[in-house]
Amino acid sequence: MANTNNSNKKLVPEAMNALDKFKYEVASEVGVNLKDGYNGDISSRDAGKIGGNMVKKMIQQAENQMINR
């Protein structure tokens, strides 16, 4: 029987625009030039830099929110 759970389902669709903007900000910070639309031509290393730094910043923000409670 096929698994009907879609792990790619957007839980908060409204957050996609904010995450997209965040992705471009982080890419600029790490020196990766992203263009609007398709970016499949960037290297795995550059994509990893962007994603890794996004996660790092989100974790830092969550930790700061926990400290400030």
Side-chain angles (χ1 to χ4, degrees):
M1 177 173 247
N3 183 358
T4 58
N5 292 334
N6 182 356
S7 63
N8 293 328
K9 185 177 180 182
K10 310 301 186 270
L11 295 178
V12 185
E14 301 82 20
M16 292 308 297
N17 288 336
L19 282 172
D20 209 37
K21 182 180 174 192
F22 182 48
K23 174 178 64 178
Y24 283 93
E25 289 172 9
V26 170
S28 176
E29 289 174 10
V30 296
V32 177
N33 185 23
L34 288 183
K35 51 193 174 296
D36 288 334
Y38 178 75
N39 283 289
D41 55 343
I42 67 171
S43 70
S44 296
R45 176 173 286 195
D46 286 343
K49 276 190 214 177
I50 296 167
N53 279 286
M54 286 177 70
V55 170
K56 182 178 176 181
K57 286 177 172 262
M58 286 187 274
I59 290 171
Q60 287 173 341
Q61 184 178 11
E63 288 175 344
N64 289 339
Q65 287 177 352
M66 294 297 290
I67 291 170
N68 293 328
R69 282 189 171 186

